[in-house]
Amino acid sequence: MLFAEMVKVVASVILFFLFEREGKWWQYFGPSAFRRSLKLWPVAFSFALQNQLLFVAVHNLTPPVFQALAQLKILSAGIFSVLLLSKKLSQVQWTALILLACGAALVQMEGQLCAAPEESEAGGRGKLDAVKGFLACLASSSLSGLGGCYTELMLKTEKLPMWLQSAQVAFASTVILSSMITLDRTAADGGPDSFDMLDGFIALTWVVIAVISLGGLVVVAVLRYADNVLKGMSMVFALLLSGVASVMFFATHIGSVFCVSAVIICCSVFLYQHTPPGAGQSTGGSVAQIDGKKIDPPLSTSGPHGGDSDRAGRESP
């Protein structure tokens, strides 16, 4: 993750100079801009803490339980989008989010559900602490929703270029992760010169780092032009695509659980985007502003009508 964040810093700065540099661009690197960028440091800290909590959860929960509880981040994204971004979700949309979380859990649990008991118990991880793992997974899911929605809030309200904000978050993450890794390694090995951060790296490792960095940049664009809930939906669809790709490239078998979960996911996405007749005007304006600040509207989460289209419809004979 550390090297992925470093790559994101470089890539974000390059994208800023290629697409967003205008006028007195150096003003974004002054003291005032630096003070404003401090608002993004809590995001980096929450993501770093989230990753550590995930490790604790993985070591204390069985794979099926962990995969199921990890999908609580989808519901967390919906809750914090209401609390932080003042969005309004209907009962149908909440139902869709619950179905989406269930479908995502089934996709990831299929391999464990179909495995033989002796295979699933192999590994000898020792005694598990279910309560500790549950609390860690719950905290990680909450931080995921909070960090994502807070990032969306900053991207849509702060008057800073998108890719510059991405570089600032990645830089903050680099500093935090570097400090954590250095403290952990020096405490374990006994000295700062006794470990090599590139030990065990191969060519494929750098490919994985590049893919993670590219995915992080795509997430920034999604949060800027769409929202955190739709980001979660896209990640669930990525699970489905990975299952199909594994069949094509690795000749794995897709079971009935995967097919059922695919149907559940597709139905949940349809329900989330579908608005009953007459319900669009009641929630259509809820995402146009955040804390009184006008923002670029994300993809519709309450219907196809809103903003100028509503005014045009009222003015037409």
Side-chain angles (χ1 to χ4, degrees):
M1 292 300 294
L2 173 61
F3 289 99
E5 294 299 325
M6 291 180 177
V7 173
K8 282 170 61 178
V9 172
V10 177
S12 298
V13 172
I14 293 175
L15 289 171
F16 166 73
F17 281 103
L18 287 178
F19 300 108
E20 294 181 328
R21 183 183 64 178
E22 58 182 16
K24 299 179 179 179
W25 56 267
W26 54 86
Q27 64 181 324
Y28 297 119
F29 298 91
S32 61
F34 175 76
R35 287 191 295 268
R36 290 164 60 186
S37 70
L38 293 178
K39 296 180 181 180
L40 298 171
W41 280 72
V43 177
F45 179 78
S46 68
F47 287 149
L49 180 59
Q50 173 190 340
N51 290 329
Q52 297 301 313
L53 290 171
L54 281 177
F55 281 113
V56 175
V58 167
H59 282 81
N60 289 280
L61 295 173
T62 59
V65 175
F66 170 75
Q67 299 290 6
L69 291 177
Q71 305 314 313
L72 291 175
K73 62 185 178 183
I74 297 176
L75 298 178
S76 174
I79 292 172
F80 283 108
S81 67
V82 172
L83 296 178
L84 288 182
L85 306 177
S86 301
K87 295 182 180 179
K88 296 181 181 179
L89 300 180
S90 65
Q91 294 181 353
V92 174
Q93 289 175 316
W94 283 113
T95 303
L97 290 180
I98 295 175
L99 288 176
L100 185 68
C102 293
L106 286 175
V107 170
Q108 298 194 20
M109 289 170 59
E110 181 186 21
Q112 295 294 329
L113 292 174
C114 298
E118 59 271 13
E119 294 177 355
S120 61
E121 294 176 1
R125 293 189 299 167
K127 187 176 180 180
L128 304 179
D129 189 341
V131 176
K132 182 179 179 180
F134 171 77
L135 293 177
C137 196
L138 182 62
S140 176
S141 299
S142 301
L143 285 175
S144 176
L146 176 61
C149 290
Y150 183 79
T151 303
E152 181 184 349
L153 179 66
M154 292 296 101
L155 286 170
K156 292 178 177 178
T157 57
E158 290 296 314
K159 296 180 179 179
L160 287 174
M162 177 180 67
W163 295 121
L164 183 61
Q165 287 181 300
S166 174
Q168 291 171 344
V169 174
F171 176 76
S173 298
T174 300
V175 174
I176 294 173
L177 290 174
S178 298
S179 303
M180 294 174 64
I181 292 174
T182 302
L183 290 174
D184 182 67
R185 292 294 183 90
T186 52
D189 300 331
D193 298 328
S194 59
F195 71 92
D196 182 8
M197 295 185 67
L198 298 179
D199 184 30
F201 274 46
I202 59 176
L204 185 59
T205 306
W206 293 106
V207 174
V208 174
I209 289 174
V211 171
I212 294 176
S213 301
L214 178 61
L217 296 176
V218 172
V219 167
V220 171
V222 170
L223 291 178
R224 177 63 180 85
Y225 296 111
D227 60 38
N228 198 46
V229 175
L230 293 179
K231 182 204 75 174
M233 289 186 173
S234 66
M235 295 178 67
V236 173
F237 268 104
L239 294 176
L240 294 180
L241 291 177
S242 65
V244 175
S246 66
V247 174
M248 298 173 58
F249 296 106
F250 304 106
T252 57
H253 175 69
I254 288 183
S256 58
V257 176
F258 185 91
C259 298
V260 171
S261 62
V263 173
I264 293 176
I265 290 170
C266 292
C267 292
S268 66
V269 173
F270 173 78
L271 286 175
Y272 188 85
Q273 294 291 346
H274 176 68
T275 302
Q281 293 183 356
S282 61
T283 60
S286 61
V287 297
Q289 293 186 349
I290 296 178
D291 294 336
K293 300 179 181 180
K294 187 176 180 181
I295 61 172
D296 295 334
L299 296 180
S300 174
T301 58
S302 58
H305 304 293
D308 295 336
S309 61
D310 284 346
R311 290 192 293 271
R314 289 193 294 267
E315 293 173 358
S316 61

